[in-house]
Amino acid sequence: MELQHYLKVVKRYWWIPALLIVVICTAAYVYTNKYVKPVYQASTDLIVNKTESTVAGQQVIDQNSINTNLMLINTYKQIIKSPSVMKTVADKHPELGMTASQISEKVAVNTMKDAQIITLVAKADSYETAVQIVGGVSNAFRGSVTELMKLNNITVLTEPDPLAAPGPINSSHTVLYIFSFLLAALLGLGIAFLVDYLDDKIRTEDDLESELGITMLATIGKIKQKDLAQGKLRTAIPFARENAVRGKQELRPAEEQR
């Protein structure tokens, strides 16, 4: 019974979630196409190496050097994001038109556990700007390590291709559209059930029986005035007259036979 009631509510107020779906999904489409700026990404991989030593004229892997490099990665992450490195990038690349703090906000440093690789990721309004940022940070970082720590154990593993033309990383808005659709549908259903809960009108026979707790024996349908004017329905008085006339006609042959 409850399920039937829910279905009736959805059937009665279906236009509420439908309207919200149209409005919210349209708003999401307009927002993503007019107000969301495209974001481009460029990245470079740096490897912390110099882990080989020479024994008897042959190069061998030094485990102690590997462990030292792994421990240095956390220090290198802090150096990359330091104000001095970002200021160096801002000073050497005035064409970016950014301050050190603005460049720092556009750069992310990613590392993997037990790996000697540091990945620098830059996001900007254009791919060319992202390439300049990540390249400038990489050069400034390596120069800072050499100057401050007297080490030269960082090598560029991969660099972004400046001639490439990748698309923006935020061009797909499918997830946002799906979320907007689900949000609108749930919100619309919630409003529909709230309206039904606040509505105390008796609309159907089931509503009357549930409110009064009695069984209904008959109903009187609503007659429209235009149906009466067109002769589609007969009122009670003409209907009674027709029955009386019909009854007399059926009895007359029997009286004539007497």
Side-chain angles (χ1 to χ4, degrees):
M1 190 65 180
E2 291 294 334
L3 181 58
Q4 293 180 356
H5 174 70
Y6 295 151
L7 293 177
K8 289 181 180 179
V9 172
V10 174
K11 184 178 180 180
R12 183 182 305 166
Y13 299 106
W14 63 268
W15 57 272
I16 297 179
L19 179 62
L20 284 178
I21 288 174
V22 172
V23 172
I24 294 180
C25 290
T26 302
Y29 177 80
V30 173
Y31 172 76
T32 54
N33 286 273
K34 289 191 175 182
Y35 297 98
V36 176
K37 296 181 179 180
V39 177
Y40 296 85
Q41 177 177 293
S43 62
T44 184
D45 293 328
L46 306 176
I47 183 170
V48 184
N49 51 9
K50 300 296 183 181
T51 59
E52 297 179 348
S53 60
T54 303
V55 177
Q58 294 183 353
Q59 291 182 336
V60 295
I61 296 177
D62 187 357
Q63 187 63 39
N64 292 330
S65 298
I66 294 177
N67 295 333
T68 301
N69 290 331
L70 291 176
M71 289 186 292
L72 284 174
I73 287 179
N74 291 327
T75 303
Y76 288 164
K77 290 173 61 177
Q78 298 299 322
I79 295 176
I80 293 173
K81 298 289 289 185
S82 64
S84 61
V85 172
M86 297 301 165
K87 187 176 184 304
T88 302
V89 178
D91 294 339
K92 290 186 176 180
H93 296 275
E95 69 277 7
L96 295 175
M98 300 180 187
T99 62
S101 59
Q102 291 174 336
I103 295 175
S104 179
E105 292 175 356
K106 296 182 178 296
V107 176
V109 183
N110 300 325
T111 59
M112 293 184 294
K113 185 179 180 181
D114 297 333
Q116 298 175 238
I117 297 177
I118 301 175
T119 302
L120 303 181
V121 180
K123 297 179 181 179
D125 297 337
S126 66
Y127 178 71
E128 292 77 10
T129 303
V131 171
Q132 288 181 335
I133 292 175
V134 76
V137 172
S138 173
N139 295 331
F141 163 63
R142 286 182 290 158
S144 180
V145 169
T146 303
E147 180 180 356
L148 297 177
M149 304 186 67
K150 309 303 180 182
L151 293 175
N152 188 20
N153 62 339
I154 301 174
T155 304
V156 177
L157 186 61
T158 59
E159 289 182 322
D161 184 5
L163 300 180
I169 60 176
N170 61 340
S171 60
S172 178
H173 306 292
T174 304
V175 176
L176 178 61
Y177 294 151
I178 294 176
F179 176 78
S180 300
F181 178 85
L182 295 177
L183 177 63
L186 293 177
L187 184 60
L189 290 176
I191 295 176
F193 285 113
L194 178 62
V195 172
D196 179 75
Y197 177 77
L198 298 177
D199 186 7
D200 56 356
K201 295 180 181 179
I202 296 177
R203 300 178 182 274
T204 63
E205 295 86 350
D206 294 336
D207 295 339
L208 182 62
E209 291 180 355
S210 61
E211 289 292 333
L212 301 180
I214 59 177
T215 302
M216 188 168 53
L217 300 179
T219 60
I220 300 176
K222 183 178 180 180
I223 301 176
K224 297 181 180 179
Q225 191 67 28
K226 64 178 182 179
D227 295 334
L228 292 175
Q230 296 175 359
K232 294 182 179 180
L233 297 175
R234 293 174 294 177
T235 59
I237 294 177
F239 181 72
R241 289 176 180 174
E242 291 179 6
N243 285 341
V245 173
R246 189 181 299 109
K248 290 181 180 181
Q249 292 176 352
E250 292 176 353
L251 292 175
R252 186 176 300 171
E255 294 178 352
E256 292 176 355
Q257 292 176 3
R258 290 179 182 178

